[in-house]
C-alpha cells in the first residue's frame, strides 16, 4: 500500500473518505458526507505530515547490486 505503515494507514483513510463522501452526497445523507470529508482532510494532513520520512538518509543503507564496490584492490 505505502512505503511504510503510516502511509498505508493514510491511504486506507483516504479510500474510506473517498467512498463515504460521494455515497453521502447521493444516497446516505449528511452524516456520511461529513464523515467522508473529515476522512479526506485527515488523510491529506497525515500524508503531508509523514512526507519527510521518505527522504531521510539512512546510515549503512544497502547499495544497489549494479553499483561497483567501494573498496580498492591491492596490486
Amino acid at each position: 500500500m505505502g512505503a511504510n505503515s503510516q502511509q498505508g494507514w493514510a491511504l486506507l483513510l483516504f479510500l474510506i473518505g473517498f467512498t463515504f463522501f460521494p455515497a453521502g452526497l447521493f444516497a446516505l445523507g449528511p452524516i456520511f458526507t461529513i464523515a467522508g470529508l473529515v476522512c479526506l482532510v485527515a488523510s491529506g494532513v497525515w500524508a503531508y505530515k509523514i512526507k519527510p520520512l521518505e527522504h531521510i538518509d539512512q546510515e549503512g543503507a544497502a547499495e544497489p547490486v549494479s553499483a561497483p564496490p567501494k573498496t580498492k584492490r591491492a596490486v
Side-chain angles (χ1 to χ4, degrees):
M1 283 181 80
N4 58 41
S5 65
Q6 286 188 1
Q7 285 179 336
W9 285 111
L11 180 61
L12 178 65
L13 189 62
F14 175 79
L15 292 174
I16 291 169
F18 191 74
T19 303
F20 279 9
F21 185 66
L25 282 175
F26 295 110
L28 299 177
I31 298 295
F32 279 89
T33 303
I34 293 169
L37 192 58
V38 167
C39 287
L40 287 173
V41 170
S43 69
V45 169
W46 194 359
Y48 182 76
K49 184 180 86 170
I50 61 175
K51 178 78 172 152
L53 295 177
E54 291 181 356
H55 302 291
I56 294 175
D57 286 334
Q58 297 174 354
E59 293 292 328
E63 294 181 5
V65 176
S66 62
K70 291 184 178 181
T71 58
K72 294 183 179 180
R73 293 185 180 183
V75 180

